[in-house]
Amino acid sequence: MGEYGATAPAILILGSRGIPAAYGGFETFAERLALYLVARGWRVGVYCQNDVDAVQQRFRTEHWKGVELIQIEVAGHGPSATLLFDAYTVLDAARRDAVCLVLGYNSAVLLPYLRLWGRKVLTNMDGIEWRRPKWSRAIRAWFWINEWIAAWSSQRLIADHPKIADHLATRRPRRSIVTIPYGGDPIAHRDPAPLARLGLTKNDYLVSIARIEPDNNILAIVQAFSRKRRDCRLVVVGGFDGGNAYHAAIQAAASDEVIFTGAIYDPETVTALRGHARAYLHGHTVGGTNPSLVEALWAGNAVLAHDNAFNRGTAGDAQMYFTDVDSCERGIEMILRDDVLVARARAAALTQASEHFVWDDILRAYEAESLAAWEKARRNESKRSRAGNAAPEA
């Protein structure tokens, strides 16, 4: 156990689907931070969403590796269930004496309730969700409004990329913003066995791991790769929906050298796909420090990424970038023919990862921000107590 003992500070983590991690970057981060803080002596609670057909028990508590898992049942699936889950997490968190770390701002309309109850709120503002072209105007307006609410309902805004911090500075003064990126781990073991199940061999394929969305440029990547025979494979990892026109366009554009694996959540398989690829292709255009790109750097991947400030700030200038299908094709051809270029990019990726995206550094920074909020809450409570106990004047 850590250093705080009987006076252990407390933190609640809101905004993820819960832990143990099984979904995405926020869940992985929540798990890493929760376990780190428990080992340091914190009391940690993480809210976990359970989608059910009918609610049997709205709240229940479990414990996992010293973390309190606050399970909340919500009827249904999709955005409405998530919003309902977020509402119940805020109602519960408001009544607990703890710092509230909120991951994302999609339901920030609820955050003023936490402030009314005197909670200290830290919000990881994630990417600029309202810029994503996949959303309707109404949904983009909802995200835009919630971004502003989060900015002014949180005592501290956490940006995971300097360009996100610049954006947030148009909403709040710089003194309210801190930049803490996402982390990753070096790959200690790269079992090639999962490759055989997909018909792949080491260094003879390119890989893309992403949600299949227009702002992730999967169509451009597939079109660029499929313009001619490559004598290698492009592996596209991500879920496809049969009724989605964008997904259908990607599949129609693909040559027979493209493999669509669907979504893969098995860590061993994902690690093998990254660790043995000739290069990682990353088309994201909206967001900050992308977890998948950080993991590719830690895997020592040569990277071909969409050319924007988010990706350049994460991967560094030693990697390769594209802006459209033509430049993506040129990048692919360079990767496939130039072994020296790939070797240099791989070495640069590991250097970039070890200098900027080490989990221990990132988790220490989150602890420092959380502890500052906890101590401020204690000081405020002490002042209120002294004021309440002050003797009336004679």
Side-chain angles (χ1 to χ4, degrees), residues 21-193:
Y23 294 96
F26 267 159
E27 287 70 33
T28 299
F29 166 71
E31 180 176 318
R32 295 297 294 256
L33 181 62
L35 295 176
Y36 174 86
L37 291 177
V38 163
R40 296 273 297 156
W42 284 68
R43 293 171 290 140
V44 181
V46 178
Y47 288 95
C48 305
Q49 180 177 344
N50 292 326
D51 296 335
V52 296
D53 293 329
V55 174
Q56 302 294 323
Q57 185 178 1
R58 178 71 72 185
F59 291 91
R60 73 178 189 277
T61 296
E62 302 171 356
H63 287 86
W64 176 75
K65 296 185 178 181
V67 181
E68 181 183 5
L69 305 183
I70 307 159
Q71 306 284 352
I72 300 179
E73 290 185 358
V74 290
H77 304 274
S80 61
T82 299
L83 183 59
L84 185 60
F85 166 71
D86 290 341
Y88 279 111
T89 64
V90 166
L91 287 171
D92 186 75
R95 292 163 173 79
R96 294 175 179 245
D97 185 18
V99 173
C100 294
L101 173 61
V102 182
L103 305 181
Y105 61 77
N106 293 355
S107 301
V109 66
L110 304 167
L111 296 186
Y113 187 77
L114 291 175
R115 293 296 301 272
L116 286 174
W117 281 76
R119 301 284 78 85
K120 295 298 181 184
V121 180
L122 314 178
T123 301
N124 178 316
M125 296 294 284
D126 198 20
I128 309 174
E129 191 69 23
W130 55 266
R131 286 186 182 172
R132 296 185 187 276
K134 69 176 182 177
W135 301 122
S136 68
R137 287 186 179 180
I139 294 176
R140 292 174 74 179
W142 167 263
F143 288 141
W144 186 85
I145 291 168
N146 274 269
E147 181 185 77
W148 275 98
I149 294 172
W152 286 100
S153 297
S154 309
Q155 281 94 348
R156 194 74 160 152
L157 305 181
I158 301 172
D160 69 8
H161 191 286
K163 291 299 180 181
I164 295 293
D166 291 344
H167 170 72
L168 295 177
T170 66
R171 275 74 171 130
R172 278 285 291 277
R174 288 273 183 183
R175 64 179 179 272
S176 301
I177 303 164
V178 61
T179 301
I180 309 174
Y182 193 82
D185 295 302
I187 298 177
H189 178 62
R190 306 173 188 227
D191 183 1

Side-chain angles (χ1 to χ4, degrees), residues 234-258:
L234 170 63
V235 181
V236 178
V237 180
F240 279 79
D241 179 353
N244 185 300
Y246 182 72
H247 293 184
I250 293 170
Q251 292 170 318
S255 73
D256 61 4
E257 293 181 305
V258 178

Side-chain angles (χ1 to χ4, degrees), residues 307-320:
D307 194 356
N308 60 67
F310 301 121
N311 294 338
R312 278 191 177 270
T314 302
D317 291 335
Q319 303 303 327
M320 293 151 281

Side-chain angles (χ1 to χ4, degrees), residues 268-324:
E268 181 181 340
T269 302
V270 174
T271 296
L273 285 171
R274 280 200 183 94
H276 297 295
R278 184 166 181 85
Y280 173 77
L281 307 187
H282 185 79
H284 293 61
T285 57
V286 179
T289 299
N290 181 269
S292 187
L293 183 53
V294 170
E295 288 161 4
L297 297 176
W298 274 113
N301 287 139
V303 172
L304 175 60
H306 184 269
D307 194 356
N308 60 67
F310 301 121
N311 294 338
R312 278 191 177 270
T314 302
D317 291 335
Q319 303 303 327
M320 293 151 281
Y321 296 90
F322 70 92
T323 57
D324 54 21

Side-chain angles (χ1 to χ4, degrees), residues 206 228 230 278-279 302 304 318-321 326-343:
L206 311 176
K228 66 180 184 182
R230 303 291 179 185
R278 184 166 181 85
L304 175 60
Q319 303 303 327
M320 293 151 281
Y321 296 90
D326 290 340
S327 57
C328 185
E329 183 181 17
R330 289 193 296 272
I332 289 170
E333 290 179 344
M334 290 169 61
I335 288 168
L336 295 181
R337 71 169 181 258
D338 194 333
D339 291 343
V340 173
L341 174 72
V342 170

